[in-house]
């Protein structure tokens, strides 16, 4: 008997964050490109297999929180993530169908994540429509809306930082709610390293701006979200200089809290 949960886990590539941790000096661009290339090769080579896995693990029965059902959903959704990876994928309709017909958050979340991270032209309209529908459906559920923000902040496609800045102007976003704040301000630097570590330094400036703003709202949270900037030694010389410059800018902030000052000053 095949352990579908184990197979699903085996098919999931290590995250870019994990791979960066393995390196003495993390080349975030190379890590992103290499990981994407491997995943894309698998997706193209095994397209037929992945589609078969997806279809064989569809379940017409009502949602069941059993181990077998959970394993089937896991395997099906890993297959979907691969099917949605090529920019010329024909599977956008399949993904939309899953999103619209899902009776559980696992299938709903997997479908919308696949749409968010798809570079396919046919996914552009579909992802915006799905995001709107998801928000309207779950707007009264705070934890679900935290996920809605976080899924978008974690998108590795180019231009995500501008999307993130736009999300921070959304009516449901506030820096005063720690969970809502973390759904963007923590998720973006921790789970989206290719965009956070953009060579121009825009990701670092964004986080420093957030730390400075939080210093006047919640000093403990400001100190906590600062951590990614303190790890500048992990990266190349250009990024090191950019990260240290933002730390210096934070240290120059008036009325800086003791916690933020201690963490920032000791890291340089």
């Amino acid at each position: 008997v095949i352990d579908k949960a184990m197979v699903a886990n085996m098919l999931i590539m290590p995250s870019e964050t994990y791979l960066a941790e393995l390196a003495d000096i993390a080349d975030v661009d190379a890590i992103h490109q290499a990981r994407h290339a491997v995943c894309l090769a698998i997706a193209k080579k095994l397209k037929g297999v992945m589609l078969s896995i997806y279809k064989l693990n569809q379940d017409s029965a009502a949602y069941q929180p059993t181990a077998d059902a959970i394993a089937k959903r896991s395997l099906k959704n890993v297959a979907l993530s691969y099917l949605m990876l090529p920019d010329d994928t024909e599977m956008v309709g399949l993904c939309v169908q899953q999103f619209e017909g899902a009776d559980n958050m696992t299938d709903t979340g997997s479908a919308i994540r696949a749409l968010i991270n798809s570079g396919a032209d046919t996914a552009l309209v579909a992802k915006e429509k799905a995001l709107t529908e998801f928000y309207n459906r779950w707007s009264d559920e705070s934890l679900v809306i935290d996920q809605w923000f976080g899924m978008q902040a974690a998108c590795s496609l180019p231009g995500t930082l501008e999307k993130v800045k736009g999300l921070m102007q959304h009516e449901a976003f506030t820096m005063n709610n720690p969970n809502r704040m973390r759904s963007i301000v923590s998720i973006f630097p921790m789970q989206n390293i290719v965009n956070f570590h953009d060579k121009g330094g825009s990701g670092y400036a964004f986080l420093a701006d957030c730390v400075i703003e939080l210093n006047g709202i919640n000093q403990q949270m400001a100190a906590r979200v600062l951590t990614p900037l303190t790890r500048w030694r992990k990266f190349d010389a250009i990024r090191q200089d950019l990260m240290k410059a933002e730390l210096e800018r934070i240290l120059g902030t008036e009325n800086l809290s003791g916690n933020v000052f201690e963490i920032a000053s000791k890291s340089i």
Side-chain angles (χ1 to χ4, degrees):
V1 177
I2 296 175
D3 185 335
K4 293 185 177 183
M6 181 183 70
V7 174
N9 283 328
M10 290 173 66
L11 286 171
I12 298 172
M13 290 292 112
S15 70
E16 291 175 29
T17 302
Y18 173 78
L19 293 171
E21 287 297 321
L22 298 179
D24 292 331
I25 298 296
D27 186 335
V28 293
D29 294 316
I31 289 170
H32 174 71
Q33 292 164 10
R35 183 182 183 279
H36 180 73
V38 171
C39 290
L40 189 60
I42 293 171
K44 290 181 175 180
K45 184 71 174 179
L46 300 179
K47 176 182 176 182
V49 174
M50 292 296 181
L51 185 56
S52 295
I53 289 172
Y54 182 85
K55 291 179 177 179
L56 288 170
N57 288 280
Q58 284 279 42
D59 199 338
S60 58
Y63 170 78
Q64 292 289 333
T66 62
D68 287 345
I70 291 170
K72 287 180 67 176
R73 281 192 293 274
S74 296
L75 185 54
K76 174 187 71 175
N77 286 314
V78 170
L80 180 64
S81 69
Y82 279 104
L83 290 167
M84 286 291 291
L85 199 56
D87 286 345
D88 60 349
T89 183
E90 303 167 354
M91 299 298 162
V92 173
L94 186 73
C95 195
V96 170
Q97 185 178 11
Q98 173 168 312
F99 173 78
E100 293 178 344
D103 64 353
N104 61 87
M105 189 56 72
T106 301
D107 284 350
T108 301
S110 295
I112 199 168
R113 282 188 180 89
L115 286 169
I116 288 170
N117 287 283
S118 174
D121 291 339
T122 51
L124 293 176
V125 174
K127 73 174 71 178
E128 294 305 320
K129 183 173 183 289
L131 283 165
T132 300
E133 290 180 5
F134 187 97
Y135 178 81
N136 290 339
R137 181 178 179 183
W138 299 102
S139 59
D140 293 333
E141 298 289 340
S142 294
L143 294 178
V144 179
I145 297 305
D146 289 342
Q147 292 183 42
W148 183 79
F149 280 109
M151 289 187 291
Q152 296 176 80
C155 175
S156 62
L157 294 177
T160 294
L161 179 56
E162 292 307 311
K163 176 72 172 179
V164 161
K165 291 177 178 178
L167 285 170
M168 293 179 74
Q169 304 304 314
H170 192 279
E171 61 180 7
F173 184 81
T174 173
M175 294 285 270
N176 294 301
N177 180 314
N179 285 339
R180 189 57 45 85
M181 180 276 296
R182 280 193 293 263
S183 70
I184 288 181
V185 179
S186 292
I187 292 292
F188 177 72
M190 298 296 287
Q191 296 186 24
N192 195 346
I193 67 171
V194 70
N195 281 307
F196 174 62
H197 291 286
D198 178 81
K199 283 185 177 179
S202 56
Y204 308 146
F206 165 77
L207 184 56
D209 287 342
C210 291
V211 170
I212 292 168
E213 182 179 351
L214 278 168
N215 182 69
I217 300 172
N218 187 328
Q219 296 177 347
Q220 288 185 330
M221 292 307 303
R224 289 176 186 173
V225 302
L226 170 63
T227 302
L229 284 174
T230 68
R231 306 190 71 247
W232 54 268
R233 292 178 181 82
K234 189 75 177 175
F235 304 95
D236 59 81
I238 294 174
R239 290 182 169 92
Q240 286 187 11
D241 289 342
L242 290 168
M243 295 171 85
K244 285 190 287 185
E246 295 302 334
L247 288 168
E248 293 286 1
R249 181 160 71 92
I250 292 169
L251 287 169
T253 303
E254 292 184 8
N255 302 316
L256 192 65
S257 75
N259 286 342
V260 175
F261 177 82
E262 181 178 9
I263 293 173
S265 61
K266 286 186 175 180
S267 71
I268 295 179

